[in-house]
């Protein structure tokens, strides 16, 4: 018997939105991959891109979370991000492969400073 897994929805990630139109914002996602909903992003040179722990050019600092799946494999793409004032399901965040717990803690602190807090499932 075949099984079907529903794709992730914004409501799986975004538990509380302080104010529609303020919590989320539009931006540009730097080309490089097909990014899933919930990707933790940095902000450099006017574009979002995935968090890169250990970097020293700003990409090591979490600045937002991707609010949709975006295929930016070939070119920069428009996107919607969660930029402030939200409660997110921590298990729905997408981290760089092999991220250290200390880097994850720093990223969560940076998001928290923006009013983006995480909550573990009940």
């Amino acid at each position: 018997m075949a099984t079907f897994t529903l794709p992730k929805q914004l409501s799986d990630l975004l538990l509380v939105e302080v104010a529609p139109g303020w919590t989320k914002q539009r931006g540009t996602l730097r080309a490089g991959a097909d990014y899933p909903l919930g990707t933790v992003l940095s902000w450099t040179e006017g574009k979002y891109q995935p968090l890169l722990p250990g970097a020293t050019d700003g990409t090591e600092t979490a600045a937002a979370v991707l609010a949709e799946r975006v295929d930016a494999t070939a070119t920069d793409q428009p996107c919607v991000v969660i930029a402030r004032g939200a409660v997110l399901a921590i298990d729905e965040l997408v981290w760089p492969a092999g991220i250290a717990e200390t880097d994850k803690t720093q990223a969560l602190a940076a998001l928290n400073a923006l009013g983006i807090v995480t909550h573990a499932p009940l």
Side-chain angles (χ1 to χ4, degrees):
M1 175 191 221
T3 58
F4 177 74
T5 303
L6 289 172
K8 296 288 182 182
Q9 308 259 343
L10 181 58
S11 60
D12 295 327
L13 170 69
L14 183 59
L15 303 177
V16 176
E17 181 175 6
V18 171
W22 183 74
T23 295
K24 297 182 297 243
Q25 71 182 37
R26 296 180 190 272
T28 301
L29 189 60
R30 187 176 307 278
D34 187 354
Y35 301 106
L37 167 85
T39 301
V40 179
L41 303 170
S42 61
W43 170 261
T44 58
E45 301 174 5
K47 297 179 184 176
Y48 291 101
Q49 68 181 51
L51 183 71
L52 294 172
T56 58
D57 61 356
T59 57
E60 73 280 5
T61 304
V65 175
L66 192 58
E68 59 185 346
R69 182 194 145 265
V70 177
D71 185 355
T73 306
T75 61
D76 293 351
Q77 294 293 318
C79 66
V80 175
V81 300
I82 299 164
R84 64 190 72 78
V87 178
L88 305 180
I90 195 164
D91 290 349
E92 299 298 329
L93 295 177
V94 178
W95 299 99
I99 187 171
E101 284 302 315
T102 54
D103 293 328
K104 197 180 283 190
T105 299
Q106 287 176 342
L108 290 171
L111 292 174
N112 193 25
L114 298 169
I116 302 171
V117 297
T118 56
H119 190 277
L122 298 175

